[in-house]
Amino acid sequence: MNVLFIEDDRMNRRVVRDMLDVAGVTMMEAESAEDGLQAIDVQDFDMLLIDLRMPGMDGITAIGHIRARADGKAAVPIIVITADTALDLRERCIAAGADEVLFKPVAMDALFEAMGRILARDADGGMLV
């Protein structure tokens, strides 16, 4: 599995990388939404992890750009990982096109459970049997 983590904080990227290494997941990193969008242009990813608050473009805007693509990359699963605790945040992220929302500090079991739920869905959003 090949994952892209778009996150401006180096320590947060390292923590998630260490978690994913346990499961044998390859993680690429992007320090900004703009860098992440460029990475998506040139490489295929099985899943995206995106922070919301970054300098420049924020995560919600980046998700909008990804979902507006005219190719198959528009459907890549997205998990938001954020420290923002606004009451309506989950709804705004899902409305923007995120599949899951996790709050920092993210626990390894919560990350793997969210990834598992996404991987278990079929193309119509239902659960695989």
Side-chain angles (χ1 to χ4, degrees):
M1 176 174 239
N2 193 21
V3 172
L4 174 64
F5 188 19
I6 305 171
E7 162 70 69
D8 62 316
D9 185 272
R10 182 184 317 187
M11 184 55 73
N12 288 336
R13 291 193 313 268
R14 183 173 180 184
V15 167
V16 171
R17 175 182 292 283
D18 289 347
M19 289 179 193
L20 294 177
D21 281 349
V22 169
V25 174
T26 301
M27 187 184 100
M28 300 287 298
E29 300 177 19
E31 294 183 22
S32 70
E34 294 86 356
D35 290 346
L37 293 176
Q38 289 176 357
I40 293 165
D41 284 341
V42 298
Q43 188 168 345
D44 292 331
F45 296 98
D46 300 304
M47 190 170 295
L48 306 176
L49 309 176
I50 302 179
D51 183 27
L52 291 185
R53 293 188 180 188
M54 296 176 280
M57 183 186 305
D58 67 22
I60 296 271
T61 304
I63 293 169
H65 284 286
I66 295 162
R67 294 302 187 223
R69 293 180 66 101
D71 59 16
K73 294 178 180 185
V76 66
I78 298 173
I79 298 175
V80 168
I81 299 179
T82 184
D84 192 335
T85 58
L87 292 177
D88 66 338
L89 181 70
R90 181 177 300 279
E91 292 77 19
R92 287 190 294 130
C93 291
I94 300 300
D99 295 282
E100 294 277 347
V101 179
L102 299 176
F103 297 96
K104 295 176 185 173
V106 65
M108 186 172 6
D109 60 342
L111 177 59
F112 289 164
E113 286 173 15
M115 292 173 75
R117 281 191 300 272
I118 289 170
L119 294 174
R121 293 180 190 150
D122 66 16
D124 295 325
M127 297 304 288
L128 292 175
V129 179

